[in-house]
Amino acid sequence: MELVLGIDIGGTKTKIGLVDKSGKCHIKAVFRTREFPNLEDYLDKVKGVSNELIQSIDEKTTILGCGIGAPNASSKNGTIENASNLVWKGSVPILEKLRERMDMPMRIMNDASAAALGEMLFGGAQNLTDFIVITLGTGFGAGIVANGRLIDGYDGFAGELGHVDMTIGDGRLTGLGIRGGLEAYVSATGLKRTIMYMLSKYLVDSRFRNIAYNDLHGEDITKAAEEGDIIALKAFDYTAKIMAQALANFTAFTQPEAFILMGGLTNSGKWIKEPLESYFNEFLLDVYKGKVKLLESGMHGKTAAICGAAALIWEIQETQSKPKMDRI
Amino acid sequence: MELVLGIDIGGTKTKIGLVDKSGKCHIKAVFRTREFPNLEDYLDKVKGVSNELIQSIDEKTTILGCGIGAPNASSKNGTIENASNLVWKGSVPILEKLRERMDMPMRIMNDASAAALGEMLFGGAQNLTDFIVITLGTGFGAGIVANGRLIDGYDGFAGELGHVDMTIGDGRLTGLGIRGGLEAYVSATGLKRTIMYMLSKYLVDSRFRNIAYNDLHGEDITKAAEEGDIIALKAFDYTAKIMAQALANFTAFTQPEAFILMGGLTNSGKWIKEPLESYFNEFLLDVYKGKVKLLESGMHGKTAAICGAAALIWEIQETQSKPKMDRI
């Protein structure tokens, strides 16, 4: 059997797994990224966990390579740069440093772009040539596919849509100091901030008047909405409205056939999805109305990020093993 | 000699010309689009003018085909749909109707996308794989190239960035009724509207207190700026600031190496360009700073739109005549 090592470097957790050609993750491990503020220690940990996984599987297995998804990663430079949700600051030459520790073909990419490749290879985008994956975790990420190809940009930083200014110079600051930036509103963190905003705006009673910001979790907000908490309902509506405006704007850019939504915020289910669908169709230009789908990820939630990372290597395998494809 | 017929359908003027392989326009004709509110009459006029041009040149010339650039055109459907700056409303099957009149290979595209192809073949983008052409005429258009290929979108309507909402639900209406839409601010029309806004906001004396909106032309505003008119200077600064924010947002999408600016508004020269450069570098995310150029069109101003349209056919010729290119 042939497997690929997939590594998802997240602001909170790092997930590592071994993924086969069909996108199935055979084994995985998770540890907390923030426990390793020193980059060298972190990479030693990655190496250790990877080796454990590889040694735990059948001897006859070949490891084809290692794909890495990370926020603010440049596929062209092999670096992570100024990631607001990671502890290592500045420009981090992560590919070079990991290559010193692990001898195999290696490739890194923005986590949302990796997820888009994963959806093309294993998930809900196997027949799509124009789509955008939106990841709604600690931040807001986007992986854009047009003409059947992932858009990298001039030096690998395409898709940083979490920092698009939605308000012309007035609004919340993102972790990168962008005022009015999208991810300050539409992300797990943005939803928490909106709860605070709604508590400031209204005087209605709510369970959130007894919970501190730092004790607030996404699941609480979903639960409160189910119980009819007005503040929670208003927060979801507000988040969905801004997200719908953003997706309508993005549609005017590459006119995707679908947006594929994944990440923590999508676990809120209908509380985000129903108002989102409604506002989105309202905001879309007439020429786009009825043509753009909002889909859920076609990959398994818990391992989607690992599979996306592994797709970086499986994509190359597929390209090499087939005759010239019309996708390219 | 081989030539291509290039037709640029603009809100005000229609320009038709014959363009050679190097992008040189050998002969051209112009007439006013709005004099033909009936589509059939208009297409008869297009046919008549085209035939005159073709008959006026050397008999040994071969006409390879006809490329058409038009606002809100879908390359995939061959239609113009809901164009706010054209008199024909609804969905216009223009390619089909023109084919009934002229028997040659024919291709239509959004005018800004056609301009982008023109820049790739004949202009300032011959060595660029990731760039965006911005056309600043009556409206605001965008032609997006990523991975060396034009982005069409799911059914040919990518790049309608003039209707991106910059203000979350509050602001001017565009011709398509989009509140806060970019082209309501950044276009020749947008600049005129901003003059009115500045007259409302300030009480300072200005030549524009004696000119009615309908009598106002772009050149007047440039001239007034040169004479130090405060209202004109404030209007340029305001326009440049919103445009810079938009271009910074667009950069986060496909990370182009350059924006190529063309169209009437760029004739205002330094009055728009200097504040634009300054605000743009201020608004760009750190990972993009210093990497994105603002360029002027590399095609000759008066014939650029015709050459862009002709590029639709020359592009196919080039693709067919060469062995498989790595650009594709």
Side-chain angles (χ1 to χ4, degrees):
Chain A
M1 189 167 53
E2 293 178 324
L3 293 174
V4 164
L5 190 66
I7 304 178
D8 175 61
I9 304 179
T12 311
K13 292 173 189 169
T14 295
K15 300 174 187 172
I16 305 183
L18 288 166
V19 178
D20 72 17
K21 195 179 180 167
S22 73
K24 187 184 165 201
C25 182
H26 289 246
I27 186 169
K28 72 179 173 99
V30 178
F31 63 91
R32 298 188 70 81
T33 311
R34 287 183 189 165
E35 283 176 16
F36 300 87
N38 179 296
L39 180 68
E40 304 293 336
D41 295 344
Y42 175 77
L43 294 172
D44 288 342
K45 175 74 177 175
V46 167
K47 179 188 174 186
V49 170
S50 300
N51 283 342
E52 276 173 39
L53 290 177
I54 291 168
Q55 278 156 21
S56 71
I57 52 161
D58 190 341
E59 273 185 14
K60 284 180 196 152
T61 301
T62 311
I63 304 297
L64 295 173
C66 167
I68 305 155
N72 297 74
S74 164
S75 54
K76 295 193 180 171
N77 305 339
T79 53
I80 296 176
E81 301 197 14
N82 301 310
S84 58
N85 298 321
L86 292 179
V87 282
W88 321 298
K89 295 307 168 196
S91 177
V92 179
I94 192 147
L95 212 57
E96 184 188 318
K97 284 181 173 289
L98 205 55
R99 279 203 177 110
E100 291 167 5
R101 289 168 171 83
M102 286 157 48
D103 181 27
M104 60 176 84
M106 219 172 264
R107 207 173 158 209
I108 192 169
M109 200 173 269
N110 173 313
D111 46 1
S113 295
L117 272 189
E119 294 289 346
M120 271 207 286
L121 258 62
F122 313 132
Q126 294 182 45
N127 297 312
L128 303 182
T129 54
D130 296 87
F131 68 96
I132 299 177
V133 165
I134 302 283
T135 59
L136 300 158
T138 315
F140 181 109
I144 305 159
V145 172
N147 294 323
R149 281 186 63 188
L150 195 73
I151 295 184
D152 270 335
Y154 173 55
D155 69 346
F157 287 112
E160 289 293 341
L161 298 181
H163 304 283
V164 161
D165 181 343
M166 298 295 292
T167 59
I168 308 194
D170 185 29
R172 299 180 190 168
L173 287 172
T174 68
L176 291 184
I178 305 302
R179 191 169 293 282
L182 182 56
E183 91 173 15
Y185 299 85
V186 183
S187 65
T189 319
L191 182 63
K192 282 172 62 176
R193 293 169 80 170
T194 296
I195 290 287
M196 298 297 121
Y197 172 67
M198 292 301 166
L199 290 174
S200 80
K201 192 166 176 192
Y202 299 100
L203 264 174
V204 66
D205 197 26
S206 161
R207 64 150 69 187
F208 297 112
R209 298 216 183 268
N210 298 313
I211 304 176
Y213 179 87
N214 278 338
D215 296 330
L216 194 55
H217 299 286
E219 312 90 84
D220 301 334
I221 306 174
T222 307
K223 193 143 181 284
E226 275 156 17
E227 290 167 4
D229 187 293
I230 303 288
I231 294 294
L233 293 171
K234 283 191 181 295
F236 276 121
D237 188 79
Y238 184 84
T239 306
K241 188 171 185 180
I242 295 179
M243 182 166 173
Q245 186 61 65
L247 298 190
N249 282 353
F250 299 165
T251 300
F253 214 94
T254 53
Q255 201 202 0
E257 184 178 354
F259 288 95
I260 300 178
L261 312 178
M262 54 198 292
L265 195 55
T266 59
N267 296 333
S268 303
K270 70 169 181 178
W271 302 105
I272 194 87
K273 198 159 184 208
E274 287 178 7
L276 177 66
E277 292 264 8
S278 161
Y279 284 123
F280 181 60
N281 286 313
E282 176 187 335
F283 294 150
L284 269 186
L285 274 187
D286 283 345
V287 291
Y288 303 133
K289 273 197 210 297
K291 294 178 188 170
V292 192
K293 303 183 196 88
L294 299 180
L295 305 176
E296 286 167 43
S297 170
M299 297 194 289
H300 190 275
K302 296 261 177 194
T303 55
I306 293 172
C307 294
L312 295 180
I313 300 296
W314 277 120
E315 185 212 18
I316 295 174
Q317 290 287 323
E318 190 177 83
T319 313
Q320 287 173 346
S321 66
K322 283 190 186 176
K324 283 234 169 190
M325 287 173 63
D326 47 3
R327 172 179 278 172
I328 298 169
Chain B
M1 188 167 55
E2 294 178 323
L3 293 174
V4 165
L5 191 65
I7 303 178
D8 175 61
I9 304 179
T12 311
K13 292 173 188 168
T14 295
K15 300 174 186 172
I16 305 183
L18 289 166
V19 178
D20 71 17
K21 195 180 180 167
S22 73
K24 188 185 166 200
C25 181
H26 288 246
I27 186 168
K28 73 179 172 100
V30 178
F31 63 90
R32 297 187 71 80
T33 311
R34 286 184 189 165
E35 283 176 14
F36 300 88
N38 178 296
L39 181 68
E40 304 293 336
D41 296 344
Y42 174 77
L43 294 172
D44 288 342
K45 175 75 178 176
V46 167
K47 179 188 174 185
V49 171
S50 299
N51 283 342
E52 276 174 37
L53 290 179
I54 291 169
Q55 277 154 23
S56 71
I57 52 159
D58 190 340
E59 274 187 12
K60 284 181 196 152
T61 301
T62 311
I63 305 296
L64 295 174
C66 167
I68 305 156
N72 297 74
S74 164
S75 54
K76 296 195 179 170
N77 305 339
T79 53
I80 296 177
E81 301 198 12
N82 301 310
S84 58
N85 298 320
L86 292 178
V87 282
W88 320 299
K89 296 305 169 197
S91 177
V92 179
I94 192 147
L95 213 56
E96 185 188 319
K97 283 180 174 289
L98 206 55
R99 279 202 177 111
E100 291 167 5
R101 288 167 172 84
M102 288 160 42
D103 181 27
M104 60 175 84
M106 218 171 267
R107 206 174 160 207
I108 192 170
M109 199 174 269
N110 173 315
D111 46 2
S113 295
L117 272 189
E119 294 289 346
M120 271 208 285
L121 259 61
F122 314 131
Q126 293 181 47
N127 297 313
L128 303 182
T129 54
D130 296 88
F131 68 97
I132 299 177
V133 164
I134 303 284
T135 59
L136 299 159
T138 315
F140 181 109
I144 305 159
V145 172
N147 295 323
R149 280 188 63 190
L150 196 71
I151 294 184
D152 271 333
Y154 172 55
D155 69 346
F157 287 112
E160 290 294 339
L161 298 181
H163 304 283
V164 160
D165 181 344
M166 297 296 291
T167 60
I168 308 194
D170 186 27
R172 298 179 190 169
L173 286 172
T174 68
L176 291 185
I178 306 302
R179 191 169 291 283
L182 182 57
E183 88 174 14
Y185 299 86
V186 183
S187 64
T189 320
L191 181 63
K192 282 171 63 177
R193 295 168 80 169
T194 297
I195 290 287
M196 299 296 122
Y197 172 67
M198 292 300 169
L199 290 174
S200 80
K201 193 167 177 191
Y202 298 100
L203 264 173
V204 66
D205 196 25
S206 161
R207 63 150 66 188
F208 297 111
R209 300 219 181 265
N210 298 311
I211 304 177
Y213 178 87
N214 278 338
D215 296 330
L216 194 55
H217 299 287
E219 312 90 82
D220 301 334
I221 306 173
T222 308
K223 194 146 178 280
E226 275 156 17
E227 290 166 2
D229 188 293
I230 302 288
I231 294 296
L233 293 172
K234 282 193 182 293
F236 277 122
D237 188 78
Y238 184 83
T239 306
K241 188 172 185 178
I242 294 179
M243 182 167 173
Q245 185 60 65
L247 298 190
N249 282 353
F250 300 165
T251 300
F253 215 94
T254 52
Q255 201 201 2
E257 184 178 354
F259 288 95
I260 300 179
L261 311 178
M262 55 197 295
L265 195 57
T266 58
N267 296 334
S268 303
K270 71 170 180 178
W271 302 105
I272 194 86
K273 199 157 184 208
E274 286 178 8
L276 177 67
E277 293 263 10
S278 160
Y279 283 123
F280 182 61
N281 285 313
E282 179 187 325
F283 293 150
L284 270 185
L285 274 187
D286 282 345
V287 290
Y288 304 133
K289 274 196 209 297
K291 294 177 187 170
V292 192
K293 303 182 196 89
L294 300 179
L295 305 176
E296 287 168 41
S297 170
M299 298 193 288
H300 190 275
K302 296 262 177 194
T303 56
I306 294 173
C307 294
L312 294 180
I313 301 296
W314 279 119
E315 186 213 17
I316 296 174
Q317 291 286 323
E318 192 179 80
T319 312
Q320 287 172 346
S321 66
K322 284 189 185 175
K324 284 237 167 191
M325 287 173 63
D326 48 2
R327 171 179 280 171
I328 299 169

